Short mmCIF file of all heavy atoms in Angstrom, two decimals:
data_model
loop_
_atom_site.label_atom_id
_atom_site.label_comp_id
_atom_site.label_asym_id
_atom_site.label_seq_id
_atom_site.Cartn_x
_atom_site.Cartn_y
_atom_site.Cartn_z
N CYS A 72 145.21 -11.15 6.87
CA CYS A 72 144.56 -12.46 6.88
C CYS A 72 143.95 -12.77 5.51
O CYS A 72 144.17 -13.85 4.94
CB CYS A 72 143.49 -12.50 7.97
SG CYS A 72 142.66 -14.11 8.12
N VAL A 73 143.20 -11.84 4.98
CA VAL A 73 142.57 -12.05 3.67
C VAL A 73 143.63 -12.12 2.57
O VAL A 73 143.51 -12.93 1.64
CB VAL A 73 141.54 -10.93 3.38
CG1 VAL A 73 141.02 -11.04 1.94
CG2 VAL A 73 140.38 -11.02 4.36
N LYS A 74 144.67 -11.33 2.67
CA LYS A 74 145.74 -11.38 1.67
C LYS A 74 146.39 -12.77 1.67
O LYS A 74 146.68 -13.33 0.61
CB LYS A 74 146.79 -10.31 1.97
CG LYS A 74 146.35 -8.89 1.68
CD LYS A 74 147.47 -7.91 2.04
CE LYS A 74 147.06 -6.46 1.81
NZ LYS A 74 146.92 -6.14 0.36
N ASN A 75 146.62 -13.33 2.87
CA ASN A 75 147.26 -14.64 2.97
C ASN A 75 146.35 -15.75 2.42
O ASN A 75 146.83 -16.67 1.75
CB ASN A 75 147.61 -14.95 4.42
CG ASN A 75 148.75 -14.08 4.93
OD1 ASN A 75 149.54 -13.55 4.14
ND2 ASN A 75 148.83 -13.91 6.24
N VAL A 76 145.06 -15.65 2.70
CA VAL A 76 144.12 -16.63 2.16
C VAL A 76 144.09 -16.52 0.64
O VAL A 76 144.07 -17.53 -0.08
CB VAL A 76 142.72 -16.45 2.76
CG1 VAL A 76 141.71 -17.36 2.05
CG2 VAL A 76 142.73 -16.76 4.26
N GLY A 77 144.09 -15.30 0.12
CA GLY A 77 144.11 -15.11 -1.32
C GLY A 77 145.34 -15.75 -1.96
O GLY A 77 145.24 -16.38 -3.02
N GLN A 78 146.47 -15.61 -1.30
CA GLN A 78 147.70 -16.22 -1.81
C GLN A 78 147.58 -17.75 -1.84
O GLN A 78 148.01 -18.40 -2.80
CB GLN A 78 148.88 -15.82 -0.93
CG GLN A 78 150.23 -16.35 -1.42
CD GLN A 78 151.37 -15.90 -0.52
OE1 GLN A 78 151.17 -15.54 0.64
NE2 GLN A 78 152.58 -15.90 -1.06
N ALA A 79 146.96 -18.32 -0.80
CA ALA A 79 146.76 -19.77 -0.75
C ALA A 79 145.84 -20.24 -1.87
O ALA A 79 146.07 -21.29 -2.48
CB ALA A 79 146.20 -20.18 0.61
N LEU A 80 144.80 -19.45 -2.16
CA LEU A 80 143.89 -19.82 -3.24
C LEU A 80 144.61 -19.84 -4.58
O LEU A 80 144.41 -20.76 -5.40
CB LEU A 80 142.70 -18.85 -3.30
CG LEU A 80 141.74 -18.80 -2.11
CD1 LEU A 80 140.51 -17.97 -2.48
CD2 LEU A 80 141.32 -20.18 -1.68
N VAL A 81 145.40 -18.84 -4.84
CA VAL A 81 146.14 -18.80 -6.11
C VAL A 81 147.07 -20.00 -6.23
O VAL A 81 147.10 -20.68 -7.26
CB VAL A 81 146.95 -17.49 -6.22
CG1 VAL A 81 147.85 -17.52 -7.46
CG2 VAL A 81 146.02 -16.28 -6.27
N ARG A 82 147.80 -20.28 -5.17
CA ARG A 82 148.76 -21.40 -5.18
C ARG A 82 148.06 -22.73 -5.43
O ARG A 82 148.44 -23.48 -6.33
CB ARG A 82 149.49 -21.44 -3.84
CG ARG A 82 150.48 -22.61 -3.68
CD ARG A 82 150.85 -22.75 -2.21
NE ARG A 82 149.69 -23.16 -1.41
CZ ARG A 82 149.48 -22.75 -0.16
NH1 ARG A 82 150.32 -21.91 0.43
NH2 ARG A 82 148.43 -23.19 0.50
N ASP A 83 147.03 -23.01 -4.65
CA ASP A 83 146.39 -24.33 -4.70
C ASP A 83 145.53 -24.52 -5.95
O ASP A 83 145.54 -25.60 -6.56
CB ASP A 83 145.55 -24.56 -3.45
CG ASP A 83 146.39 -24.57 -2.18
OD1 ASP A 83 147.61 -24.80 -2.28
OD2 ASP A 83 145.83 -24.34 -1.10
N HIS A 84 144.78 -23.50 -6.34
CA HIS A 84 143.91 -23.65 -7.50
C HIS A 84 144.70 -23.64 -8.80
O HIS A 84 144.24 -24.18 -9.81
CB HIS A 84 142.82 -22.57 -7.51
CG HIS A 84 141.71 -22.88 -6.55
ND1 HIS A 84 140.72 -23.80 -6.84
CD2 HIS A 84 141.45 -22.40 -5.31
CE1 HIS A 84 139.89 -23.87 -5.81
NE2 HIS A 84 140.30 -23.04 -4.87
N THR A 85 145.88 -23.06 -8.80
CA THR A 85 146.75 -23.16 -9.97
C THR A 85 147.18 -24.61 -10.17
O THR A 85 147.18 -25.14 -11.29
CB THR A 85 147.98 -22.26 -9.82
OG1 THR A 85 147.56 -20.88 -9.74
CG2 THR A 85 148.93 -22.42 -11.01
N LYS A 86 147.52 -25.28 -9.07
CA LYS A 86 147.91 -26.69 -9.15
C LYS A 86 146.71 -27.57 -9.54
O LYS A 86 146.84 -28.46 -10.38
CB LYS A 86 148.47 -27.16 -7.80
CG LYS A 86 149.80 -26.51 -7.43
CD LYS A 86 150.26 -26.97 -6.06
CE LYS A 86 151.56 -26.30 -5.66
NZ LYS A 86 152.00 -26.71 -4.29
N LEU A 87 145.57 -27.31 -8.93
CA LEU A 87 144.38 -28.09 -9.26
C LEU A 87 143.99 -27.91 -10.73
O LEU A 87 143.59 -28.87 -11.40
CB LEU A 87 143.21 -27.69 -8.36
CG LEU A 87 143.28 -28.11 -6.89
CD1 LEU A 87 142.10 -27.52 -6.12
CD2 LEU A 87 143.30 -29.63 -6.76
N ASP A 88 144.12 -26.69 -11.23
CA ASP A 88 143.72 -26.45 -12.61
C ASP A 88 144.68 -27.10 -13.59
O ASP A 88 144.26 -27.55 -14.67
CB ASP A 88 143.63 -24.95 -12.88
CG ASP A 88 142.76 -24.65 -14.08
OD1 ASP A 88 141.65 -25.20 -14.16
OD2 ASP A 88 143.19 -23.86 -14.96
N ALA A 89 145.95 -27.18 -13.23
CA ALA A 89 146.91 -27.86 -14.11
C ALA A 89 146.52 -29.34 -14.24
O ALA A 89 146.56 -29.90 -15.34
CB ALA A 89 148.32 -27.72 -13.54
N ALA A 90 146.12 -29.95 -13.13
CA ALA A 90 145.69 -31.35 -13.17
C ALA A 90 144.39 -31.49 -13.96
O ALA A 90 144.21 -32.45 -14.72
CB ALA A 90 145.51 -31.88 -11.75
N THR A 91 143.47 -30.54 -13.77
CA THR A 91 142.19 -30.58 -14.49
C THR A 91 142.42 -30.47 -15.99
O THR A 91 141.81 -31.21 -16.78
CB THR A 91 141.28 -29.44 -14.02
OG1 THR A 91 140.99 -29.60 -12.63
CG2 THR A 91 139.97 -29.43 -14.79
N LYS A 92 143.28 -29.57 -16.42
CA LYS A 92 143.54 -29.39 -17.85
C LYS A 92 144.23 -30.62 -18.44
O LYS A 92 143.92 -31.03 -19.57
CB LYS A 92 144.37 -28.12 -18.08
CG LYS A 92 143.58 -26.85 -17.85
CD LYS A 92 144.33 -25.60 -18.28
CE LYS A 92 145.46 -25.26 -17.35
NZ LYS A 92 146.07 -23.95 -17.66
N ALA A 93 145.16 -31.20 -17.70
CA ALA A 93 145.86 -32.39 -18.20
C ALA A 93 144.88 -33.55 -18.40
O ALA A 93 144.93 -34.24 -19.42
CB ALA A 93 146.96 -32.80 -17.23
N LEU A 94 143.98 -33.76 -17.44
CA LEU A 94 143.01 -34.84 -17.56
C LEU A 94 142.00 -34.55 -18.67
O LEU A 94 141.61 -35.45 -19.42
CB LEU A 94 142.28 -35.03 -16.22
CG LEU A 94 141.27 -36.18 -16.14
CD1 LEU A 94 141.91 -37.50 -16.55
CD2 LEU A 94 140.69 -36.27 -14.74
N SER A 95 141.60 -33.30 -18.80
CA SER A 95 140.66 -32.92 -19.87
C SER A 95 141.28 -33.15 -21.24
O SER A 95 140.62 -33.62 -22.17
CB SER A 95 140.24 -31.46 -19.71
OG SER A 95 139.57 -31.26 -18.49
N ASP A 96 142.56 -32.81 -21.39
CA ASP A 96 143.26 -33.05 -22.65
C ASP A 96 143.29 -34.55 -22.96
O ASP A 96 143.07 -34.97 -24.10
CB ASP A 96 144.69 -32.52 -22.59
CG ASP A 96 144.74 -31.00 -22.64
OD1 ASP A 96 143.72 -30.38 -23.03
OD2 ASP A 96 145.79 -30.42 -22.28
N LYS A 97 143.55 -35.35 -21.95
CA LYS A 97 143.62 -36.80 -22.14
C LYS A 97 142.28 -37.36 -22.58
O LYS A 97 142.22 -38.25 -23.45
CB LYS A 97 144.05 -37.47 -20.84
CG LYS A 97 144.10 -38.99 -20.91
CD LYS A 97 144.53 -39.58 -19.57
CE LYS A 97 144.53 -41.11 -19.66
NZ LYS A 97 144.92 -41.72 -18.37
N LEU A 98 141.20 -36.84 -22.01
CA LEU A 98 139.87 -37.36 -22.31
C LEU A 98 139.21 -36.65 -23.48
O LEU A 98 138.10 -37.01 -23.89
CB LEU A 98 138.97 -37.24 -21.07
CG LEU A 98 139.45 -37.99 -19.83
CD1 LEU A 98 138.50 -37.74 -18.66
CD2 LEU A 98 139.57 -39.48 -20.11
N GLY A 99 139.86 -35.63 -24.03
CA GLY A 99 139.30 -34.91 -25.17
C GLY A 99 138.13 -34.02 -24.81
O GLY A 99 137.22 -33.84 -25.61
N VAL A 100 138.17 -33.43 -23.61
CA VAL A 100 137.09 -32.56 -23.15
C VAL A 100 137.51 -31.10 -23.36
O VAL A 100 138.54 -30.66 -22.84
CB VAL A 100 136.78 -32.80 -21.66
CG1 VAL A 100 135.67 -31.86 -21.18
CG2 VAL A 100 136.37 -34.25 -21.44
N ASP A 101 136.71 -30.36 -24.11
CA ASP A 101 136.99 -28.94 -24.33
C ASP A 101 136.59 -28.13 -23.09
O ASP A 101 135.51 -28.33 -22.54
CB ASP A 101 136.20 -28.42 -25.54
CG ASP A 101 136.69 -29.04 -26.84
OD1 ASP A 101 137.89 -29.37 -26.92
OD2 ASP A 101 135.86 -29.23 -27.75
N LEU A 102 137.46 -27.23 -22.67
CA LEU A 102 137.21 -26.43 -21.48
C LEU A 102 136.85 -24.99 -21.84
O LEU A 102 137.34 -24.46 -22.83
CB LEU A 102 138.46 -26.43 -20.57
CG LEU A 102 138.88 -27.79 -20.02
CD1 LEU A 102 140.16 -27.64 -19.19
CD2 LEU A 102 137.77 -28.42 -19.19
N PRO A 103 136.01 -24.36 -21.03
CA PRO A 103 135.67 -22.95 -21.27
C PRO A 103 136.91 -22.07 -21.10
O PRO A 103 137.88 -22.46 -20.43
CB PRO A 103 134.63 -22.65 -20.17
CG PRO A 103 134.16 -23.98 -19.69
CD PRO A 103 135.31 -24.92 -19.86
N VAL A 104 136.86 -20.90 -21.68
CA VAL A 104 138.02 -20.00 -21.61
C VAL A 104 137.89 -18.98 -20.48
O VAL A 104 138.82 -18.22 -20.21
CB VAL A 104 138.22 -19.26 -22.95
CG1 VAL A 104 138.55 -20.25 -24.05
CG2 VAL A 104 136.99 -18.43 -23.31
N ALA A 105 136.73 -18.95 -19.81
CA ALA A 105 136.51 -17.95 -18.77
C ALA A 105 135.51 -18.47 -17.75
O ALA A 105 134.79 -19.44 -18.02
CB ALA A 105 135.99 -16.64 -19.39
N PRO A 106 135.45 -17.87 -16.57
CA PRO A 106 134.43 -18.25 -15.60
C PRO A 106 133.03 -18.01 -16.15
O PRO A 106 132.85 -17.33 -17.16
CB PRO A 106 134.72 -17.32 -14.40
CG PRO A 106 136.16 -16.93 -14.56
CD PRO A 106 136.38 -16.86 -16.04
N THR A 107 132.02 -18.54 -15.47
CA THR A 107 130.65 -18.33 -15.90
C THR A 107 130.26 -16.86 -15.71
O THR A 107 130.95 -16.11 -15.01
CB THR A 107 129.68 -19.19 -15.07
OG1 THR A 107 129.68 -18.73 -13.71
CG2 THR A 107 130.08 -20.66 -15.11
N ALA A 108 129.15 -16.46 -16.33
CA ALA A 108 128.68 -15.09 -16.19
C ALA A 108 128.39 -14.77 -14.72
O ALA A 108 128.69 -13.66 -14.23
CB ALA A 108 127.42 -14.88 -17.03
N GLU A 109 127.85 -15.73 -13.99
CA GLU A 109 127.55 -15.53 -12.58
C GLU A 109 128.83 -15.33 -11.76
O GLU A 109 128.90 -14.46 -10.90
CB GLU A 109 126.78 -16.73 -12.03
CG GLU A 109 126.41 -16.61 -10.55
CD GLU A 109 125.71 -17.85 -10.03
OE1 GLU A 109 125.45 -18.78 -10.82
OE2 GLU A 109 125.41 -17.89 -8.82
N GLN A 110 129.84 -16.13 -12.07
CA GLN A 110 131.12 -16.00 -11.36
C GLN A 110 131.78 -14.67 -11.67
O GLN A 110 132.34 -14.02 -10.78
CB GLN A 110 132.03 -17.17 -11.74
CG GLN A 110 131.57 -18.50 -11.16
CD GLN A 110 132.28 -19.69 -11.79
OE1 GLN A 110 132.72 -19.64 -12.96
NE2 GLN A 110 132.39 -20.78 -11.05
N GLN A 111 131.73 -14.25 -12.92
CA GLN A 111 132.33 -12.97 -13.30
C GLN A 111 131.61 -11.81 -12.60
O GLN A 111 132.25 -10.84 -12.17
CB GLN A 111 132.27 -12.80 -14.81
CG GLN A 111 133.17 -13.77 -15.57
CD GLN A 111 133.14 -13.56 -17.06
OE1 GLN A 111 133.36 -12.44 -17.53
NE2 GLN A 111 132.88 -14.60 -17.83
N LYS A 112 130.31 -11.92 -12.49
CA LYS A 112 129.54 -10.87 -11.82
C LYS A 112 129.91 -10.78 -10.35
O LYS A 112 130.05 -9.68 -9.79
CB LYS A 112 128.04 -11.15 -11.97
CG LYS A 112 127.15 -10.07 -11.38
CD LYS A 112 125.68 -10.38 -11.62
CE LYS A 112 124.79 -9.31 -11.00
NZ LYS A 112 123.33 -9.59 -11.24
N ALA A 113 130.10 -11.94 -9.70
CA ALA A 113 130.48 -11.96 -8.29
C ALA A 113 131.86 -11.34 -8.09
O ALA A 113 132.08 -10.55 -7.15
CB ALA A 113 130.47 -13.39 -7.76
N LEU A 114 132.79 -11.66 -8.99
CA LEU A 114 134.13 -11.07 -8.90
C LEU A 114 134.09 -9.56 -9.09
O LEU A 114 134.78 -8.81 -8.39
CB LEU A 114 135.04 -11.70 -9.97
CG LEU A 114 135.47 -13.16 -9.74
CD1 LEU A 114 136.21 -13.69 -10.97
CD2 LEU A 114 136.35 -13.28 -8.50
N GLU A 115 133.28 -9.12 -10.04
CA GLU A 115 133.16 -7.68 -10.30
C GLU A 115 132.55 -6.96 -9.10
O GLU A 115 132.96 -5.84 -8.75
CB GLU A 115 132.31 -7.46 -11.55
CG GLU A 115 132.27 -6.01 -12.03
CD GLU A 115 133.64 -5.51 -12.47
OE1 GLU A 115 134.49 -6.33 -12.87
OE2 GLU A 115 133.87 -4.28 -12.40
N ASN A 116 131.60 -7.59 -8.46
CA ASN A 116 130.97 -7.00 -7.29
C ASN A 116 131.99 -6.80 -6.16
O ASN A 116 131.96 -5.79 -5.45
CB ASN A 116 129.83 -7.91 -6.80
CG ASN A 116 129.08 -7.32 -5.62
OD1 ASN A 116 128.74 -6.14 -5.60
ND2 ASN A 116 128.82 -8.15 -4.61
N VAL A 117 132.89 -7.75 -6.02
CA VAL A 117 133.94 -7.62 -5.00
C VAL A 117 134.92 -6.51 -5.38
O VAL A 117 135.29 -5.67 -4.55
CB VAL A 117 134.69 -8.95 -4.81
CG1 VAL A 117 135.86 -8.78 -3.84
CG2 VAL A 117 133.74 -10.03 -4.30
N ARG A 118 135.34 -6.49 -6.64
CA ARG A 118 136.32 -5.49 -7.09
C ARG A 118 135.78 -4.07 -6.93
O ARG A 118 136.55 -3.14 -6.66
CB ARG A 118 136.68 -5.74 -8.56
CG ARG A 118 137.50 -7.00 -8.80
CD ARG A 118 138.06 -7.02 -10.21
NE ARG A 118 138.69 -8.30 -10.51
CZ ARG A 118 138.15 -9.23 -11.28
NH1 ARG A 118 136.96 -9.03 -11.83
NH2 ARG A 118 138.79 -10.36 -11.51
N ASN A 119 134.49 -3.92 -7.11
CA ASN A 119 133.89 -2.58 -6.98
C ASN A 119 134.01 -2.02 -5.56
O ASN A 119 133.86 -0.81 -5.36
CB ASN A 119 132.42 -2.61 -7.39
CG ASN A 119 132.24 -2.79 -8.89
OD1 ASN A 119 133.15 -2.49 -9.67
ND2 ASN A 119 131.08 -3.28 -9.30
N LYS A 120 134.30 -2.87 -4.60
CA LYS A 120 134.43 -2.42 -3.21
C LYS A 120 135.88 -2.24 -2.80
O LYS A 120 136.18 -2.02 -1.61
CB LYS A 120 133.74 -3.42 -2.28
CG LYS A 120 132.22 -3.43 -2.47
CD LYS A 120 131.56 -4.48 -1.60
CE LYS A 120 130.04 -4.35 -1.65
NZ LYS A 120 129.47 -4.42 -3.01
N ALA A 121 136.79 -2.34 -3.76
CA ALA A 121 138.21 -2.15 -3.46
C ALA A 121 138.44 -0.76 -2.88
O ALA A 121 137.86 0.23 -3.34
CB ALA A 121 139.05 -2.32 -4.73
N GLY A 122 139.27 -0.70 -1.85
CA GLY A 122 139.57 0.58 -1.21
C GLY A 122 138.59 0.95 -0.11
O GLY A 122 138.73 2.02 0.50
#
Side-chain angles (χ1 to χ4, degrees):
C72 183
V73 172
K74 288 179 182 290
N75 290 338
V76 173
Q78 183 179 22
L80 296 190
V81 173
R82 177 195 66 214
D83 297 339
H84 282 282
T85 297
K86 293 177 181 178
L87 289 175
D88 201 48
T91 298
K92 288 189 287 188
L94 183 54
S95 298
D96 287 344
K97 178 181 178 181
L98 300 178
V100 179
D101 293 329
L102 297 178
V104 296
T107 67
E109 180 183 357
Q110 289 167 332
Q111 292 182 52
K112 184 177 179 179
L114 288 172
E115 188 63 27
N116 183 46
V117 175
R118 291 192 188 105
N119 288 338
K120 293 177 173 55

